[in-house]
Amino acid sequence: MSKKRTSSEPVEGAAKRVKLEESVASKTEKTTTSFVDGAIVRLEVKDFLTYSDCEYKFGPGLNVLLGPNGTGKSSVVCALCLGLAGPQQLLGRAREVGDFVRHGQDEAWIHVEVFRQAGNITFSRHIRRENNTSHWKINQEASTLKKVQEQVKQLNIQLSNLCQFLPQDRVVDFARLSPPDLLKATEQAVGDPAMYDDHQKLIELHKQQKELNEKACRNTEELDRLKHQNSLLDRDVQRYKEREQFMKKVKDLENKRPWVDYEEVRGFYTVAHTEMKVAKQELERLKQTHAPVKLKVEQARQLREDYEKQTTDMGKLATRAENAFGKVKDDIDSLEEEMGEPAQRLDQARKSEAERQRKITQAENAVRQYEEELEQLPSIDVLKPQLQEATRQLRDVNAGVMRLQQDQTSIRNEQEPQTGEIARLETELQRLEDVSNRRLQLLRNADRDTFNAVQWLRANQDRFKQHVYEPVVMAVNMKKAENARYLEQIVGFRTLISFVCQSDEDLKLFCELVRDQQNLRINAAAAPDASLEDFRRKGGELAGVKERFDFPSSLLDMVEGPEVVLRYLCRRHRIHETLIGTDRTEANVDKVIQESKLTMFCTPKSFYVIKTSRYGQHHKSTQVSDIKPGRFLNVAVDTQRREHIHRELMDVRNSMEHGRLQIEKLKDEERRLRVENASLKDRKDKLQAQKDGRRNTESQLNVARQRHQRYVQDAVDLEQVEAEVKVSLNQINQKRAEAAKTMKACIKKLVNLNKEKAMLQMRTTQEALREDRLQAEYRNVTSGLKEAEEEFRVIEKKARDLKTQAKEKLRYAQQKLGTSEGRPSPDVIAVFELYPNALAEIDDMIHDLKARADLNYHTDPKIVEDYEKRKAEIGRMENAHHEEIDDLQHLDKEITEVESRWLKPLQELVCKINKQYGDFFSRLGCNGAVELEKNPDYDKYAIRILVKFHAAQKLHVLTAQHQSGGERSVSTMLYLMALQELTRCPFRLVDEINQGMDPNNERRVFEFVVAGACRPGTSQYFLITPKLLTNLQYKSNMKVHCIYSGAGVDKSGQSGRCFDPRRLVRKMRDQMPDQ
């Protein structure tokens, strides 16, 4: 029987006191079952959660902890977890370890005694509320958290393994375990210790193999790429090297050329110096023969000049005589010309008269023609009114066109701000749509199945009788984005991604189309029938609590969205009764918990869930969790604003369309007026043309009449002209006769003078010829002298230039070789001897080598440098690739070895679990199976649990979507029982797994647990439940710990209300049939 303790505190205001009594059902026979290493022998707590001072002593087999909600059953789970150095996150009850200290106390103690064949070991944990610190002891000796964890691991206690340790708050987590995680948990729970290690090793080896394969592939690709790059450059590099060889020879030739050039110029200088001496001697000889020839030339020139003077004087006399003759001849020619002028004047007068008569006739004809044309044209008096009327009509039409254009401009001016407004509204709408798309992308990243279902729903909404709402995360918005964290914390991720239907019929159809046909794992629910106002009225009943404890609003007040979705959230998570507090609320949180009837509320930092016991003094236990930042709803979408913008945009576009139609109407009217305008303009142009034509004809008629009158007045007297011409001809003939006599005398004088002039010219010519002969001789002598002088200067300059050139070429040749010596070094001469000694041959060879180098087009040296680097890198990578191949072969061999010792035992283990699991389900009249799902990736090897609870169903994988909560509980419990048969862990704990089961399943499952956990050789088992069915079967080697709690428990028993376990045992024995 368990030892009991009570707190020394008075009953008033004290926390729960607990008396624990073990009750053994069935007969009182002693058990022979013994503890296994790692089993829990004893648990003692002080000032821990609801306990002031309590001790449990557990049996080695099945331990049932029985008690109503709020009495402290789950506190035992917390104590075991924290006392064995388990992470507090496994419990989900408080964010700090100090929160596990009983209210009103500063510190708490946990002592956990664990069985060990070498001697039991006791782990002690001292928790202080201040600073949230813990101190550890092992067997009453100070220790550390790390050492405690090492001892717990040696005992094979796996608190993080849901197959061994399943607290109440993690039952749902077990159902959500992914198949790969379930396999790992199973390996740790019931597999050989090396099995899990081998699995982890395979995962790591496969990861290394995958990484090495990827690396090898990348390296191979890189190696191929480098080889390909170099293969493309092989020819270029070869050409580059050939070109370098050609250019090396070119450089040698270019170095030799200056020396050859220097030697050649030096030779030219020697020859020129010799020629200069010879030329100087010839110059001296020519200077001695030049003077006598020059004297003869001067004498001949003087005699020629005397004859030329005499000839000139005679020429002047002949010129004067010739001038006199020419004057007389000009006078005669002038008289000849004067004789032709009177006859010409008479002829011209006759032609002018004939032309005048022709023009008079022509003018008369023109006058008649214009008079006839005027008779055909309407008068100005007739045209003027018609033209004025056409002008007036045209002006009216143009005014109408201008008015229409002004009306169009006015409408366009009115539409200009509307265009800007449309752009502004579209921009704002796009911004709001972008926010919605961002939230959809967040949903895609978080749950791809739900995202795909949203896309499908948008395309198939018409298949449902009523509107099916997209997931809550897409349908609702927070009025303030910073409040998103409250809703996400309270409703949880599964609710956020839940679709909401308005009827059960649509819900069933939606699940069939999406879950079954498309195999998408989604959540969906139907909204309640109650109206949103009903929920709001219920929330309004908390007005007093709001005011007293400073709760500004409920969570419902912070959310906006479709009424159907909000009704669903109210029913599912009671957001209308969930109040959101302030920092002042946080400061008074103890009062809120004790004095209000709230079951949950939020402060800026924490989320509180309050459970009240239905027994005794109705004591309360609190679960506290941190409020994490929002992930989805903090990306707010203002749906009302979006709808408002849609309406505004539609109104503005309608207004724009109305304006457009008005403009089109005005344009049609404008086109009609423009057609009329063109017709009127054409008519006006015709009238104006008639008017202008009449005026032009009248003007031309006046001009023709004036021309006719002028021609009539311009008559010529021909008889008078003929008389005047006869007189002029007689006078001219007399002058001609006198001029002929004078001309005869001039000719005679001119002939005599020309004879004398010819004699003098002959003598001058003879002397000029003699002078020319002497001049030629003189020129020859002078030319020879000049040529000799010039030749000497040229040769002298050539020698001087060649000497300078030789010095410059010597300096250039020395500079080219980088030497100051007069001759190249023997090594350089040896190189030079390989090449020709003639400049032409050297130039030809340089040209040929450069041409051959140019055929190998110039390659960038950087490319060649990169080529050589790649070549070295290729060699290094090929060596590395061979090493990678060796490593991969070694890994393949190691993986094969590890897999061979891991997979077969694992398959056998899963086969045993499947057999046991199927047997349990067959006893329930259902079907169940456990399969090992293989995968090339060892990390994706998985255990799949398949169940079928109804005959009409098929075997379905165990998920939160296909099975109800009770069905999942049964499936989970039976899986744990199947493991119990194969267990290797020291104890297994399950908290309130029977909640949600129907009575038949609960009874059968309990029988399975008793049968499996009470069998000899099995590990310790903890089953925690708030209630048990009646008439259950018990065994002698199990313990039932009845938790009898409450402030009214009398430790002395004098009140008559003290719990007497012996009396209960006797009563139970009397009621049980003999066994």
Side-chain angles (χ1 to χ4, degrees):
M1 183 174 292
S2 298
K3 181 180 180 182
K4 61 181 179 180
R5 293 182 188 171
T6 59
S7 173
S8 61
E9 300 173 353
V11 172
E12 293 80 15
K16 303 175 184 177
R17 287 199 187 96
V18 182
K19 290 184 178 181
L20 301 174
E21 297 291 344
E22 63 177 317
S23 173
V24 181
S26 189
K27 296 181 179 179
T28 57
E29 58 187 276
K30 293 184 179 181
T31 177
T32 59
T33 306
S34 60
F35 289 99
V36 298
D37 281 0
I40 308 300
V41 176
R42 182 177 64 89
L43 170 67
E44 182 180 358
V45 294
K46 182 178 182 181
D47 292 327
F48 181 81
L49 289 176
T50 59
Y51 294 106
S52 59
D53 189 7
C54 176
E55 182 182 37
Y56 286 90
K57 288 186 177 180
F58 301 112
L62 176 61
N63 291 270
V64 180
L65 275 69
L66 179 63
N69 288 331
T71 56
K73 302 184 303 300
S74 297
S75 298
V76 174
V77 179
C78 296
L80 289 174
C81 178
L82 296 179
L84 294 173
Q88 63 206 46
Q89 292 81 2
L90 291 177
L91 304 172
R93 292 179 65 96
R95 64 176 183 268
E96 301 291 350
V97 70
D99 295 334
F100 288 92
V101 177
R102 188 164 66 91
H103 183 68
Q105 301 298 318
D106 296 328
E107 58 184 16
W109 278 94
I110 304 173
H111 304 282
V112 182
E113 183 179 350
V114 179
F115 179 81
R116 191 174 59 175
Q117 290 184 358
N120 290 2
I121 182 170
T122 301
F123 300 102
S124 301
R125 183 172 188 175
H126 179 207
I127 303 173
R128 294 189 62 82
R129 184 187 297 274
E130 184 180 3
N131 298 329
N132 294 298
T133 57
S134 295
H135 300 283
W136 294 89
K137 290 183 179 181
I138 298 178
N139 291 335
Q140 301 304 316
E141 293 183 4
S143 185
T144 63
L145 172 62
K146 184 176 181 181
K147 290 182 179 180
V148 172
Q149 289 174 335
E150 290 174 353
Q151 290 284 348
V152 169
K153 184 177 180 181
Q154 290 177 3
L155 294 168
N156 199 29
I157 297 174
Q158 306 165 20
L159 297 176
S160 298
N161 189 342
L162 296 181
C163 292
Q164 178 178 348
F165 192 80
L166 190 61
Q168 177 182 350
D169 294 320
R170 300 201 66 197
V171 172
V172 177
D173 292 341
F174 183 88
R176 291 178 182 169
L177 271 180
S178 66
D181 290 337
L182 181 60
L183 172 61
K184 294 168 187 174
T186 302
E187 288 176 331
Q188 289 178 296
V190 299
D192 185 270
M195 180 180 291
Y196 177 75
D197 294 339
D198 285 341
H199 189 185
Q200 293 302 113
K201 187 172 183 180
L202 282 171
I203 292 172
E204 181 60 28
L205 290 174
H206 181 265
K207 181 180 178 183
Q208 294 176 11
Q209 183 188 46
K210 184 177 179 181
E211 292 174 351
L212 195 57
N213 266 321
E214 291 174 352
K215 182 181 177 183
C217 289
R218 288 195 303 270
N219 290 344
T220 301
E221 291 175 359
E222 180 65 13
L223 187 60
D224 292 341
R225 185 183 68 81
L226 293 176
K227 287 182 177 179
H228 178 65
Q229 286 183 339
N230 271 16
S231 67
L232 296 177
L233 297 175
D234 282 340
R235 183 56 183 159
D236 291 342
V237 172
Q238 182 63 30
R239 287 175 177 173
Y240 175 83
K241 292 179 179 179
E242 291 176 358
R243 189 177 191 279
E244 289 298 302
Q245 292 175 359
F246 292 146
M247 296 309 294
K248 171 66 170 55
K249 293 181 180 180
V250 169
K251 185 176 180 181
D252 292 341
L253 288 167
E254 288 176 344
N255 287 338
K256 180 176 181 179
R257 191 183 188 287
W259 289 98
V260 174
D261 195 12
Y262 161 69
E263 292 294 340
E264 187 176 89
V265 171
R266 193 168 69 87
F268 291 156
Y269 167 72
T270 303
V271 173
H273 186 69
T274 303
E275 291 176 349
M276 184 178 68
K277 290 180 180 180
V278 174
K280 188 173 182 181
Q281 295 173 356
E282 179 65 16
L283 179 62
E284 292 297 329
R285 186 186 66 77
L286 290 174
K287 284 181 179 180
Q288 294 175 1
T289 60
H290 180 265
V293 176
K294 184 177 180 181
L295 179 60
K296 291 180 180 179
V297 171
E298 288 294 330
Q299 293 173 350
R301 183 179 60 77
Q302 184 63 42
L303 185 59
R304 178 184 56 75
E305 288 177 353
D306 291 342
Y307 283 125
E308 284 179 351
K309 184 175 182 305
Q310 293 177 14
T311 303
T312 301
D313 293 341
M314 188 59 66
K316 290 179 180 178
L317 293 176
T319 300
R320 282 197 294 270
E322 188 176 355
N323 290 338
F325 172 77
K327 184 175 181 303
V328 174
K329 187 176 182 301
D330 290 340
D331 291 341
I332 293 173
D333 292 339
S334 177
L335 290 173
E336 291 290 341
E337 291 177 358
E338 287 179 4
M339 287 185 68
E341 190 273 333
Q344 186 178 2
R345 187 168 68 248
L346 178 60
D347 184 58
Q348 183 64 34
R350 290 171 180 168
K351 289 180 179 179
S352 296
E353 179 62 19
E355 178 66 19
R356 186 179 69 83
Q357 292 297 329
R358 186 186 65 76
K359 288 182 178 180
I360 289 172
T361 303
Q362 187 178 13
E364 289 174 350
N365 293 334
V367 168
R368 284 194 300 273
Q369 181 181 353
Y370 290 139
E371 288 175 348
E372 290 173 358
E373 288 180 5
L374 285 175
E375 290 176 358
Q376 299 296 326
L377 293 173
S379 66
I380 298 297
D381 294 337
V382 175
L383 292 172
K384 187 174 181 180
Q386 296 178 0
L387 189 60
Q388 290 176 346
E389 177 62 21
T391 302
R392 184 191 63 75
Q393 292 178 354
L394 187 62
R395 186 168 55 250
D396 292 343
V397 170
N398 286 332
V401 170
M402 291 183 64
R403 283 196 303 274
L404 292 174
Q405 291 176 340
Q406 290 173 354
D407 292 343
Q408 294 177 45
T409 303
S410 177
I411 294 173
R412 290 191 181 97
N413 291 337
E414 292 176 357
Q415 287 184 333
E416 281 184 5
Q418 292 178 338
T419 303
E421 181 68 8
I422 288 176
R424 184 188 66 78
L425 292 172
E426 287 178 342
T427 300
E428 185 172 359
L429 184 62
Q430 181 62 40
R431 181 180 61 79
L432 293 174
E433 293 295 339
D434 287 345
V435 171
S436 177
N437 291 334
R438 282 169 53 200
R439 192 181 289 180
L440 184 61
Q441 289 305 314
L442 290 174
L443 176 61
R444 177 182 182 179
N445 296 335
D447 193 301
R448 192 59 179 263
D449 283 0
T450 303
F451 170 81
N452 291 336
V454 169
Q455 300 294 86
W456 179 89
L457 178 61
R458 290 180 177 181
N460 296 274
Q461 185 70 248
D462 57 347
R463 301 180 69 170
F464 303 97
K465 291 184 177 180
Q466 294 177 284
H467 184 80
V468 176
Y469 290 90
E470 293 181 2
V472 174
V473 70
M474 297 299 299
V476 303
N477 287 293
M478 304 304 296
K479 295 178 180 178
K480 292 183 178 180
E482 60 267 22
N483 294 330
R485 56 198 182 107
Y486 297 122
L487 185 63
E488 292 189 24
Q489 179 80 18
I490 291 169
V491 305
F493 179 70
R494 305 312 300 179
T495 296
L496 285 177
I497 62 173
S498 294
F499 294 81
V500 181
C501 302
Q502 299 188 58
S503 67
D504 292 335
E505 184 179 355
D506 279 345
L507 174 61
K508 182 178 179 181
L509 177 60
F510 181 75
C511 291
E512 180 181 347
L513 294 174
V514 177
R515 283 183 187 167
D516 298 337
Q517 294 185 13
Q518 300 186 58
N519 200 27
L520 295 178
R521 300 176 61 182
I522 53 93
N523 291 346
D529 295 331
S531 69
L532 189 60
E533 288 304 316
D534 293 338
F535 289 112
R536 291 190 186 276
R537 279 195 296 272
K538 290 188 66 177
E541 297 174 1
L542 301 174
V545 176
K546 287 184 180 180
E547 183 177 356
R548 180 182 176 190
F549 296 109
D550 196 18
F551 287 102
S553 63
S554 68
L555 185 55
L556 177 59
D557 298 330
M558 296 179 171
V559 185
E560 60 183 6
E563 180 180 339
V564 172
V565 179
L566 295 181
R567 282 169 24 216
Y568 164 69
L569 292 176
C570 288
R571 184 196 67 178
R572 182 75 175 82
H573 295 284
R574 297 185 295 164
I575 63 172
H576 59 294
E577 295 178 344
T578 304
L579 303 185
I580 310 300
T582 62
D583 291 334
R584 192 168 76 85
T585 311
E586 181 79 45
N588 296 283
V589 68
D590 291 339
K591 286 186 178 181
V592 177
I593 294 171
Q594 297 299 328
E595 299 178 17
S596 73
K597 296 182 179 180
L598 296 178
T599 57
M600 57 182 170
F601 64 90
C602 290
T603 63
K605 296 181 180 179
S606 304
F607 173 47
Y608 294 85
V609 177
I610 305 164
K611 295 182 180 179
T612 303
S613 174
R614 293 181 292 175
Y615 306 95
Q617 298 297 316
H618 305 290
H619 287 286
K620 299 180 178 180
S621 61
T622 306
Q623 180 178 340
V624 186
S625 57
D626 291 336
I627 294 182
K628 301 176 183 177
R631 293 174 55 199
F632 303 97
L633 297 175
N634 52 351
V635 181
V637 180
D638 191 343
T639 53
Q640 293 182 352
R641 177 63 180 162
R642 183 171 59 187
E643 294 300 323
H644 178 68
I645 290 174
H646 271 299
R647 289 194 297 272
E648 282 190 3
L649 192 59
M650 185 62 70
D651 293 342
V652 175
R653 283 176 174 164
N654 289 339
S655 176
M656 288 284 288
E657 180 64 17
H658 178 68
R660 188 188 66 78
L661 293 176
Q662 285 185 315
I663 290 175
E664 289 298 327
K665 185 176 180 181
L666 291 173
K667 283 184 177 180
D668 291 341
E669 180 64 19
E670 181 183 350
R671 282 191 288 270
R672 186 189 66 77
L673 289 178
R674 287 191 181 278
V675 172
E676 185 177 351
N677 176 282
S679 175
L680 290 171
K681 188 175 180 182
D682 183 57
R683 181 185 172 197
K684 179 183 175 182
D685 291 344
K686 289 180 180 178
L687 292 172
Q688 186 66 42
Q690 290 178 351
K691 181 180 176 182
D692 293 343
R694 183 171 183 84
R695 285 181 176 175
N696 186 42
T697 302
E698 289 176 349
S699 175
Q700 289 176 343
L701 177 60
N702 291 333
V703 171
R705 285 172 177 172
Q706 292 174 3
R707 190 184 299 118
H708 178 269
Q709 185 177 359
R710 188 171 64 253
Y711 291 155
V712 171
Q713 293 174 354
D714 290 342
V716 179
D717 188 354
L718 291 177
E719 293 179 357
Q720 182 180 353
V721 173
E722 290 176 354
E724 291 175 353
V725 169
K726 187 176 181 180
V727 172
S728 297
L729 288 174
N730 291 331
Q731 292 176 352
I732 291 171
N733 286 328
Q734 291 177 1
K735 290 179 179 180
R736 288 177 64 195
E738 293 176 357
K741 293 177 181 181
T742 304
M743 183 177 179
K744 183 179 179 181
C746 289
I747 291 172
K748 184 177 179 180
K749 183 178 181 180
L750 182 60
V751 169
N752 294 329
L753 289 173
N754 282 331
K755 287 181 178 179
E756 293 180 5
K757 180 181 178 183
M759 291 298 293
L760 290 172
Q761 285 178 341
M762 187 181 298
R763 293 173 182 161
T764 301
T765 300
Q766 291 174 351
E767 290 300 325
L769 290 172
R770 192 170 72 86
E771 181 187 3
D772 289 342
R773 188 176 65 254
L774 292 173
Q775 282 283 2
E777 184 180 354
Y778 176 74
R779 281 196 301 271
N780 290 334
V781 174
T782 302
S783 175
L785 180 60
K786 289 182 178 179
E787 288 177 358
E789 289 176 345
E790 180 64 24
E791 184 179 0
F792 176 75
R793 283 195 298 272
V794 169
I795 294 173
E796 183 183 32
K797 183 177 183 302
K798 179 181 178 182
R800 189 167 59 250
D801 290 346
L802 286 171
K803 185 176 181 180
T804 303
Q805 289 180 23
K807 290 180 179 180
E808 290 178 353
K809 289 185 181 298
L810 178 60
R811 282 196 299 271
Y812 176 71
Q814 291 171 341
Q815 182 182 357
K816 193 74 173 175
L817 288 179
T819 180
S820 59
E821 298 179 1
R823 300 292 295 172
S825 65
D827 293 339
V828 174
I829 292 175
V831 174
F832 284 174
E833 288 177 351
L834 299 174
Y835 301 106
N837 293 320
L839 283 177
E841 293 180 3
I842 289 175
D843 289 341
D844 289 343
M845 194 170 184
I846 289 174
H847 177 75
D848 179 61
L849 289 172
K850 285 185 175 180
R852 293 170 68 183
D854 289 341
L855 290 176
N856 294 332
Y857 57 86
H858 183 61
T859 302
D860 188 352
K862 184 67 170 60
I863 294 177
V864 179
E865 181 182 350
D866 293 342
Y867 174 88
E868 296 298 337
K869 288 181 179 179
R870 276 194 296 271
K871 187 174 181 181
E873 180 67 11
I874 287 170
R876 186 193 64 76
M877 291 185 68
E878 285 177 340
N879 293 335
H881 183 64
H882 293 317
E883 294 177 1
E884 289 168 353
I885 297 299
D886 294 340
D887 292 342
L888 280 172
Q889 292 174 350
H890 177 72
L891 276 175
D892 289 339
K893 182 178 179 182
E894 189 174 0
I895 288 173
T896 303
E897 292 175 356
V898 176
E899 181 182 341
S900 64
R901 69 170 181 259
W902 168 76
L903 184 57
K904 185 176 180 180
L906 176 62
Q907 291 173 327
E908 293 173 353
L909 176 64
V910 174
C911 184
K912 293 177 182 178
I913 296 173
N914 176 56
K915 183 177 182 302
Q916 194 68 32
Y917 193 68
D919 183 54
F920 285 143
F921 261 85
S922 64
R923 294 188 213 172
L924 293 177
C926 306
N927 287 339
V930 177
E931 296 178 351
L932 177 64
E933 184 176 339
K934 297 183 179 181
N935 193 286
D937 186 350
Y938 293 102
D939 195 30
K940 295 181 180 178
Y941 262 74
I943 279 185
R944 293 201 313 162
I945 300 177
L946 297 97
V947 296
K948 185 179 79 168
F949 285 91
H950 305 286
Q953 292 180 339
K954 297 179 180 179
L955 277 172
H956 271 290
V957 176
L958 180 63
T959 64
Q961 289 77 31
H962 281 97
Q963 290 82 25
S964 65
E967 291 171 343
R968 293 198 303 275
S969 297
V970 171
S971 302
T972 301
M973 195 66 183
L974 293 182
Y975 186 78
L976 295 177
M977 287 306 304
L979 299 185
Q980 180 73 13
E981 302 296 322
L982 307 167
T983 186
R984 296 185 60 86
C985 56
F987 69 87
R988 184 169 284 106
L989 183 147
V990 180
D991 188 1
E992 295 193 19
I993 193 68
N994 57 336
Q995 298 302 301
M997 294 186 190
D998 62 76
N1000 290 331
N1001 286 336
E1002 183 177 355
R1003 181 178 299 278
R1004 298 300 301 276
V1005 168
F1006 185 81
E1007 292 174 357
F1008 294 158
V1009 172
V1010 172
C1014 294
R1015 185 181 299 116
T1018 60
S1019 61
Q1020 191 179 34
Y1021 204 102
F1022 292 90
L1023 178 63
I1024 301 173
T1025 178
K1027 52 125 178 130
L1028 287 176
L1029 298 174
T1030 58
N1031 299 322
L1032 293 175
Q1033 297 294 321
Y1034 299 88
K1035 291 195 175 183
S1036 59
N1037 56 347
M1038 62 179 287
K1039 274 190 174 183
V1040 179
H1041 303 265
C1042 297
I1043 301 178
Y1044 179 52
S1045 67
V1049 176
D1050 187 354
K1051 64 180 180 179
S1052 65
Q1054 295 176 358
S1055 65
R1057 294 180 295 171
C1058 183
F1059 174 65
D1060 185 357
R1062 294 179 181 82
R1063 182 160 53 89
L1064 177 61
V1065 170
R1066 287 195 299 271
K1067 183 177 180 181
M1068 292 176 64
R1069 283 177 175 170
D1070 294 340
Q1071 293 177 353
M1072 293 176 62
D1074 293 337
Q1075 295 184 4

